[in-house]
Amino acid sequence: RTDNNNHNSSLFFFHPSNLANLTPDKMKDAIESTTIASSTATATSSTTTTASTPFFLPNIAERCRLWNELGCVLIERYRGRATNLLDECQNSAPALVRILVREFPGFRDEAIWNNRRNTTTSTAIVSCFYKRAQIAVGDLDAALPGLGLVGTDRLTTFADY
């Protein structure tokens, strides 16, 4: 800990400043060291650890870019605190989805529908699913029920793959 009782960012992987500066190599190293540490800690003489098993994380560059985005937005708009972002939604799950979509481009599941345009305005017809944001809010609510999010019944929090 530092003198002001905040977590020392060098010790906490998910600290916004660490996320903002994460590289694919750092991400791979962190995942591998965690996997090795947890498998070694639970290993017995009859258990094979994953330390010798090659680890492959698909789309690591994109995953890293999304963590960078999360860290940067938390630092720039929410004074480096996820709780400030949560305060903004005022316990509303649908509001939190809207905030995630507005603030984090990685949560915008949008596509132009069949290359069509609105005949009146000539603007593209966009299909918006926001599945990632809805799943994130559902996962957050399940992991932290003390948040007291309301309106989760209005979300479609399922993966379709």
Side-chain angles (χ1 to χ4, degrees):
R1 290 187 177 264
T2 58
D3 290 339
N4 61 2
N5 290 330
N6 289 331
H7 287 286
N8 183 335
S9 64
S10 66
L11 301 177
F12 187 53
F13 180 83
F14 292 105
H15 189 279
S17 63
N18 289 338
L19 295 178
N21 296 300
L22 188 64
T23 65
D25 286 339
K26 286 181 189 175
M27 185 175 181
K28 185 176 178 236
D29 289 346
I31 291 169
E32 285 178 345
S33 67
T34 302
T35 303
I36 291 168
S38 65
S39 62
T40 304
T42 59
T44 64
S45 58
S46 63
T47 306
T48 304
T49 68
T50 59
S52 60
T53 306
F55 180 79
F56 174 73
L57 181 63
N59 302 320
I60 194 165
E62 176 62 8
R63 292 170 191 261
C64 188
R65 185 193 68 74
L66 294 170
W67 282 118
N68 293 157
E69 178 181 277
L70 176 65
C72 288
V73 170
L74 286 175
I75 290 167
E76 293 168 8
R77 298 193 184 120
Y78 294 96
R79 297 186 320 260
R81 299 185 55 88
T83 53
N84 291 336
L85 182 145
L86 292 171
D87 288 345
E88 188 176 318
C89 80
Q90 299 178 338
N91 293 11
S92 167
L96 184 53
V97 168
R98 286 189 298 274
I99 292 166
L100 291 178
V101 168
R102 180 189 74 217
E103 299 289 345
F104 303 94
F107 281 110
R108 294 183 199 139
D109 305 335
E110 301 172 341
I112 295 176
W113 184 69
N114 205 18
N115 206 21
R116 298 194 182 188
R117 297 189 126 1
N118 181 309
T119 54
T120 306
T121 63
S122 212
T123 57
I125 298 173
V126 179
S127 295
C128 305
F129 296 100
Y130 305 142
K131 177 176 65 176
R132 288 183 213 134
Q134 292 182 67
I135 290 172
V137 172
D139 287 349
L140 191 61
D141 183 59
L144 303 169
L147 285 177
L149 290 176
V150 296
T152 54
D153 58 327
R154 294 177 24 212
L155 306 180
T156 10
T157 56
F158 59 89
D160 59 356
Y161 47 87

